Amino acid sequence: MSENVPLISIDPHSEVPIFQQIHDRILEAIATGQIRHGDRLEPVRTVALEFGINPATAKKAYDLLRADGIVRTSPREGTVVFLPETATNEDRELAANELNRLLSRIYVQGVSTADIHQLAGEILAKFAPLQPSAQRTTAQGQAVQNPKENS
């Protein structure tokens, strides 16, 4: 297992709650390969001290990651990134609902479908192959190739 991964940065002046920023930055770091399967996250108390926040705020971010199925926590190992080999049908349904909500909002705010496609492509191009398997599959067992591998 890797050493504890470095802390991410947050914006204390953002309208986005601190716990959500921590959650989102960790997800982004995993997606881009800066944090990998098996990496141990900093303990909640360390995160709280680093950012000068209440430990309950950091715990809330970690609880969200655990609820997302992205990390596992044990008293012995701490909080460790654990990425499943494949998404479940429930995961795909949740993803479809989240994407529908997000795409509906940005579409009605005036972002064109062409811009949405371009932005999605640019974001997906930043993603790194995930561990433990760089070869991901859909719930139906079909192979999914990472966008970076097509470059």
Side-chain angles (χ1 to χ4, degrees), residues 74-111:
S74 73
R76 186 176 213 182
E77 295 294 322
T79 301
V80 178
V81 175
F82 180 83
L83 303 176
E85 291 281 335
T86 60
T88 64
N89 285 332
E90 181 183 353
D91 291 334
R92 291 179 48 77
E93 186 176 323
L94 288 170
N97 289 336
E98 286 185 47
L99 276 171
N100 184 48
R101 199 169 30 258
L102 172 64
L103 293 174
S104 296
R105 181 175 53 80
I106 62 177
Y107 181 74
V108 299
Q109 289 175 333
V111 179

Side-chain angles (χ1 to χ4, degrees), residues 1-7 34-43 62 77-81:
M1 184 177 318
S2 302
E3 292 298 313
N4 288 354
V5 296
L7 292 175
Q34 297 168 353
I35 299 175
R36 302 178 65 86
H37 177 82
D39 282 347
R40 187 176 347 175
L41 300 182
E42 294 286 350
Y62 280 31
E77 295 294 322
T79 301
V80 178
V81 175

